[in-house]
Amino acid sequence: MTDGPGLTDARASNDGRSVARAIDAIRRGWPIAIHAAGEDALTLLAVETADARALDGFAPAGRYPVLISSGRAATLKLTNQLAAADPDLPVVVAPAPWLDFDTAVALADPALDLATPLKGPFRTEYIDRPVASLAAIRLARIAGLLPAFFIDGIDPDVTIDPVAIGRHQDATALRIATRARLPVAGAEDAEIVAFRAPDSGDEHVALLIGQPDGRPPLVRLHSECLTGDVLGSLKCDCGPQLQAAIDAIAAHGWGILLYLRQEGRGIGLVNKLRAYRLQDQGFDTVDANTRLGFAVDARDFGVAARMLALLGQDRVRLLTNNPAKVAGLEAAGTMVVERIPHHLPPNPHNERYLATKRDRTGHQL
Ligand SMILES: Nc1nc2c(ncn2[C@@H]2O[C@H](COP(=O)(O)OP(=O)(O)OP(=O)(O)O)[C@@H](O)[C@H]2O)c(=O)[nH]1
Ligand SMILES: [Zn+2]
């Protein structure tokens, strides 16, 4: 995403502030509005952080439609009431006497889907503010919240433009913040480089191993996984993949490990743990994301391409089994001259996860 002509720095920084305020507000349970050009404003109160009192303040008349993502609506079998004109568009669950606060929470959060049948019936409709509603779902993901909102309440203090949300996630705004020597197990001569964008709190890092020697670097895109990287979770392959990547790059002679702050494939730690809870109920990693209302993979590999460009690299050899990483890098201008598989032996806890990646998300051997 690039800035349009005539956009001043002051306007861009205003936008940045307004999106930061909006993220802060929805995380605290405060209402916001999203106002897209050519649409009426969409007022929103995040279901996850609201309580009955906040809802009463937002919708004193007791009428509050609930906006949910298309994936969540499909899980609840609510989309089949609608013509399939745009299957990605969020839907509105119309107010009903039985749509009280607790029922709205059950619409938003799949944790209890199997335990408690939803009250109903519900009537759904496509929202008449498509741009703002898609932006709302995106904002929930950036904030790490469940993608569900009470809508059409009182006018709040914070109003943002969807375009500003796009700029908030703009990879081209990333800059190198600082760098230092960092000896690590497996690569004592490594250097760490930290990256920041002015508007976003995400602090990505690159670990540079060895010295450039004219060949394209061996590169690994590692997405943050607190459970696997730090706690040694056996549910995924992240911890062993991280160490094996460092070892492979050191053995190759030179390369770069990008540590991307895109926890849970971009849905954040808490939502990933919600997905784990659904996996405890028998859903696989793909269906768990969908039931929560998220894309199967919400990462933006443009961030990685930008980091590589700032490090002077536009051709890489990539350690991955995931064709989406190759495609994402290439779309953002990094040429992948070779893909090198990065498999680690499975364990009894991650066997199904790895099989799902192979069978459902196109991971290659
Ligand atoms: N949402 C969600 N994220 C998960 C789950 N398991 C692992 N993750 C996240 O997935 C990301 C790890 O993905 P990667 O190691 O890049 O794996 P990949 O996309 O399969 O690609 P390669 O390992 O390169 O083949 C981390 O951000 C993890 O936190 C899950 O069940 N649900
Ligand atoms: Zn992991």
Side-chain angles (χ1 to χ4, degrees):
M1 182 137 329
T2 52
D3 291 344
L7 180 81
T8 62
D9 283 354
R11 159 87 191 285
S13 104
N14 249 340
D15 279 357
R17 269 204 298 278
S18 71
V19 176
R21 271 198 208 111
I23 291 169
D24 184 55
I26 64 171
R27 294 187 70 139
R28 290 173 192 268
W30 298 343
I32 63 161
I34 300 183
H35 198 170
E39 293 182 357
D40 289 338
L42 178 66
T43 57
L44 302 150
L45 181 70
V47 173
E48 176 176 344
T49 49
D51 55 24
R53 218 178 105 233
L55 179 58
D56 196 43
F58 179 69
R63 279 184 61 82
Y64 39 82
V66 176
L67 180 77
I68 57 177
S69 75
S70 57
R72 186 72 191 130
T75 296
L76 296 171
K77 309 239 179 321
L78 290 176
T79 39
N80 54 13
Q81 302 174 4
L82 302 165
D86 183 350
D88 291 333
L89 217 52
V91 304
V92 173
V93 181
W98 47 90
L99 179 48
D100 54 13
F101 179 75
D102 290 342
T103 305
V105 171
L107 281 176
D109 187 347
L112 299 174
D113 277 0
L114 301 185
T116 44
L118 265 183
K119 287 187 229 162
F122 294 107
R123 195 171 55 76
T124 56
E125 48 204 46
Y126 278 128
I127 182 137
D128 54 1
R129 285 148 289 175
V131 177
S133 65
L134 280 165
I137 300 296
R138 188 168 174 190
L139 200 67
R141 179 181 65 72
I142 296 171
L145 299 178
L146 290 168
F149 293 91
F150 299 107
I151 64 167
D152 292 344
I154 51 128
D155 257 349
D157 298 337
V158 178
T159 297
I160 56 170
D161 181 337
V163 178
I165 301 175
R167 265 197 291 274
H168 185 80
Q169 296 254 290
D170 177 9
T172 63
L174 273 181
R175 302 275 183 274
I176 291 180
T178 192
R179 53 204 301 161
R181 270 183 2 93
L182 187 77
V184 298
E188 291 188 24
D189 63 343
E191 182 187 17
I192 188 163
V193 182
F195 299 79
R196 257 194 201 146
D199 288 340
S200 154
D202 297 341
E203 295 173 334
H204 306 286
V205 300
L207 193 67
L208 275 51
I209 295 170
Q211 295 303 322
D213 59 9
R215 295 174 299 159
L218 185 59
V219 168
R220 170 74 184 156
L221 273 48
H222 185 92
S223 297
E224 177 172 12
C225 177
L226 180 94
T227 43
D229 301 342
V230 180
L231 303 177
S233 162
L234 298 174
K235 265 185 81 71
C236 59
D237 50 351
C238 298
Q241 274 189 323
L242 182 57
Q243 188 58 49
I246 292 172
D247 295 343
I249 295 169
H252 175 72
W254 99 277
I256 304 171
L257 172 94
L258 299 184
Y259 192 91
L260 306 166
R261 309 302 292 279
Q262 300 174 338
E263 170 65 75
R265 295 196 297 269
I267 65 175
L269 177 65
V270 172
N271 284 326
K272 179 181 84 170
L273 300 182
R274 292 189 168 115
Y276 279 2
R277 185 182 163 115
L278 294 175
Q279 288 165 43
D280 288 343
Q281 298 175 1
F283 298 103
D284 69 21
T285 183
V286 168
D287 290 333
N289 262 44
T290 310
R291 288 188 86 82
L292 282 160
F294 294 109
V296 174
D297 193 338
R299 288 175 290 184
D300 169 15
F301 295 119
V303 168
R306 170 70 180 165
M307 291 165 72
L308 290 167
L310 287 167
L311 295 170
Q313 306 303 326
D314 58 5
R315 289 160 55 85
V316 302
R317 301 173 69 213
L318 191 66
L319 274 169
T320 187
N321 315 313
N322 184 353
K325 284 188 183 172
V326 177
L329 275 187
E330 297 220 306
T334 305
M335 191 190 292
V336 178
V337 296
E338 189 185 353
R339 181 188 72 84
I340 298 156
H342 195 48
H343 291 290
L344 276 294
N347 70 55
H349 303 278
N350 71 12
E351 240 162 12
R352 180 168 180 222
Y353 171 67
L354 299 178
T356 302
K357 291 211 280 190
R358 184 193 61 220
D359 298 342
R360 300 196 64 190
T361 58
H363 281 63
Q364 291 164 341
L365 299 176

